Amino acid sequence: MDAAPGDMRKGLHVITWGCQMNVYDSARMTDVLRPLGYRPVDTPDAADMVILNTCHIRDRAAEKVFSELGRLRVVKDARATQGRRTVLAVAGCVAQAEGREILARAPFVDIVLGPQTYHRLPEMVARASRAAGAVIDTDFPAEQKFDFLPDTQAPQTPGGVTSFLTIQEGCDKFCSFCVVPYTRGAEASRPVASVLAEARRMVDAGAREITLLGQNVNAYHGAAPDGRVWGLARLAEALSAIPGLARIRYTTSHPRDMDDALIAAHRDLPALMPFLHLPVQSGSDRILDAMNRGHTAAQYLELVHRLREARPDIALSSDFIVGHPGETDADFEATMQLIRDVGFAQAFSFKYSPRPGTPAAGAALQVPEPVKDARLQALQALLRTQQDAFNDATVGRTLPVLFTGRGRKPGQISGRSPYLQAVHVDGPDSLIGQITDVEIAERLTNSLSGTLVQERAFA
């Protein structure tokens, strides 16, 4: 909401790209700046500070940042002619990887900060207001940034029904295609007490569902008050005991970190939703080895079997990269066969694109773009068929739906099934924030529609 005329508060506009962790980070940066008088506004034109929270995973990520900076420079110059200063900051993984390049190509940027330093934003803003040049902070500080963040985190969706909670950052896996170890640093886990305290604040603010976030979230190993180190399973158990917290999810996982305790938690904890995002990337052992994934296709399939044995109704999602250097037609067919063997409810798939500084970027046998295009189209067609089949199988079933807000049509409300499907029904706003049985009537392109079994919410 824009600040009212005459309001002495300062406007803050955050543009977020990328993963859910960036969504969480953007909310925390807003929290950090709130004591300085900054409040969210809807457009850059109304903002005294604009933050680009960037992602380096997608292709041409840096160029997209520079393109957006070009548009923001126009806004900044226009405001300057009116005597209104705009602090322009670039945060996130592109900032971490290419901070000096950003300042060289866009000298009008005031602050460049990496994802591990946003707890120091107030200091950076103060320095930027005093200094003639830009402020850059892309260190990996020794202190835990979460220890310095304010306790004002609120849920991040309208109505406050669902929320993201980062519990782990960084990665020690060093997959050949990935920049995360270089932009987010080594794996680090938040203390248990900190996570539980923030989760309780979220629930007090209205959250019914919390998604735990981490680059390798199932590698979580947080220090607990009892002096032990808790894994994700033990943390999920403690979270499930918080009154009012009905649903727990987590992402993103690595197959190497799915231990026995976490598999058992999917069996034993009703609050832990039966939907798991478990990236495999390829079905070829040769490519998995080149990717430095640390597991084989057979090991992934065995893990899927154990998960389904523990929780028969579990639905799986995954990530796939086609055209990794050296991938042959046979390697690609192995990936297609793995997809057929598993059957995914949802998946994300991408063409390989080089990331500077990663081992695969300089590898021989780069796959031609037309080949990558053809493979991606074939893979996505298979995945789409599986997703449609999974959604079709829910038609006629009754599912508990957590309603999160109003739908697009008058009198409509929308929510999520246990399997993270979007569900729309005609119903009263009073059901928002409640879990209610819905009979699924139809599978639409990207959602399900249904009817309320009864207008009575239950927890």
Side-chain angles (χ1 to χ4, degrees), residues 9-60:
R9 295 181 301 178
K10 290 171 281 190
L12 172 66
H13 186 71
V14 183
I15 299 171
T16 306
W17 290 310
C19 64
Q20 295 101 323
M21 288 190 70
N22 270 15
V23 175
Y24 175 90
D25 287 350
S26 292
R28 299 316 320 257
M29 284 189 276
T30 301
D31 290 340
V32 165
L33 292 170
R34 201 176 298 275
L36 300 186
Y38 286 97
R39 296 294 184 272
V41 295
D42 296 331
T43 65
D45 307 72
D48 301 282
M49 182 172 184
V50 178
I51 301 175
L52 297 183
N53 194 8
T54 63
C55 174
H56 212 294
I57 298 301
R58 301 292 179 262
D59 192 18
R60 299 187 301 276

Side-chain angles (χ1 to χ4, degrees), residues 6 13 15 43 63 76 87 92 111 132 165 197 206 215 223 235 237 242 282 295 309 336 338 375 411 413 422 428 444:
H13 186 71
I15 299 171
T43 65
E63 290 309 312
K76 181 170 181 167
V87 177
I111 298 172
L165 173 52
Q215 267 81 34
L235 179 67
E237 181 182 358
I242 297 177
S282 175
H295 63 82
E309 197 171 49
M336 296 288 277
L338 181 141
R375 289 176 183 172
I413 54 175
L444 305 174

Side-chain angles (χ1 to χ4, degrees), residues 189-195 220-231 235:
S189 299
R190 293 178 65 180
V192 169
S194 173
V195 173
Y220 177 81
H221 52 280
D226 61 8
R228 302 180 182 181
V229 174
W230 287 12
L235 179 67

Side-chain angles (χ1 to χ4, degrees), residues 118-139:
Y118 63 72
H119 59 295
R120 302 202 289 232
L121 252 178
E123 175 190 347
M124 296 181 218
V125 172
R127 287 167 55 197
S129 66
R130 296 191 303 263
V135 174
I136 183 169
D137 192 341
T138 54
D139 293 337

Side-chain angles (χ1 to χ4, degrees), residues 4-204:
D7 195 334
M8 296 304 293
R9 295 181 301 178
K10 290 171 281 190
L12 172 66
H13 186 71
V14 183
I15 299 171
T16 306
W17 290 310
C19 64
Q20 295 101 323
M21 288 190 70
N22 270 15
V23 175
Y24 175 90
D25 287 350
S26 292
R28 299 316 320 257
M29 284 189 276
T30 301
D31 290 340
V32 165
L33 292 170
R34 201 176 298 275
L36 300 186
Y38 286 97
R39 296 294 184 272
V41 295
D42 296 331
T43 65
D45 307 72
D48 301 282
M49 182 172 184
V50 178
I51 301 175
L52 297 183
N53 194 8
T54 63
C55 174
H56 212 294
I57 298 301
R58 301 292 179 262
D59 192 18
R60 299 187 301 276
E63 290 309 312
K64 293 174 183 176
V65 171
F66 288 116
S67 178
E68 185 66 28
L69 285 173
R71 288 188 286 269
L72 290 173
R73 181 177 189 175
V74 175
V75 173
K76 181 170 181 167
D77 290 346
R79 284 173 54 87
T81 63
Q82 303 166 8
R84 301 158 69 195
R85 182 171 186 241
T86 304
V87 177
L88 186 54
V90 180
C93 291
V94 172
Q96 182 71 43
E98 306 192 36
R100 294 294 176 187
E101 178 70 9
I102 290 171
L103 293 182
R105 291 180 57 180
F108 51 90
V109 170
D110 300 288
I111 298 172
V112 175
L113 67 150
Q116 304 302 332
T117 61
Y118 63 72
H119 59 295
R120 302 202 289 232
L121 252 178
E123 175 190 347
M124 296 181 218
V125 172
R127 287 167 55 197
S129 66
R130 296 191 303 263
V135 174
I136 183 169
D137 192 341
T138 54
D139 293 337
F140 289 109
E143 73 269 15
Q144 268 274 5
K145 71 181 178 188
F146 297 103
D147 295 339
F148 295 87
L149 295 175
D151 295 339
T152 54
Q153 172 67 20
Q156 295 112 15
T157 60
V161 178
T162 65
S163 195
F164 297 132
L165 173 52
T166 294
I167 65 169
Q168 180 272 344
E169 283 197 287
C171 182
D172 296 340
K173 302 296 190 291
F174 288 92
C175 294
S176 65
F177 54 83
C178 185
V179 298
V180 167
Y182 312 103
T183 59
R184 289 273 183 172
E187 289 180 357
S189 299
R190 293 178 65 180
V192 169
S194 173
V195 173
L196 294 179
E198 187 166 344
R200 292 188 189 100
R201 290 194 297 272
M202 289 176 170
V203 173
D204 289 343

Side-chain angles (χ1 to χ4, degrees), residues 294-307:
H295 63 82
T296 65
Q299 289 169 334
Y300 184 87
L301 292 171
E302 173 61 21
L303 185 55
V304 168
H305 172 74
R306 292 172 59 204
L307 284 161

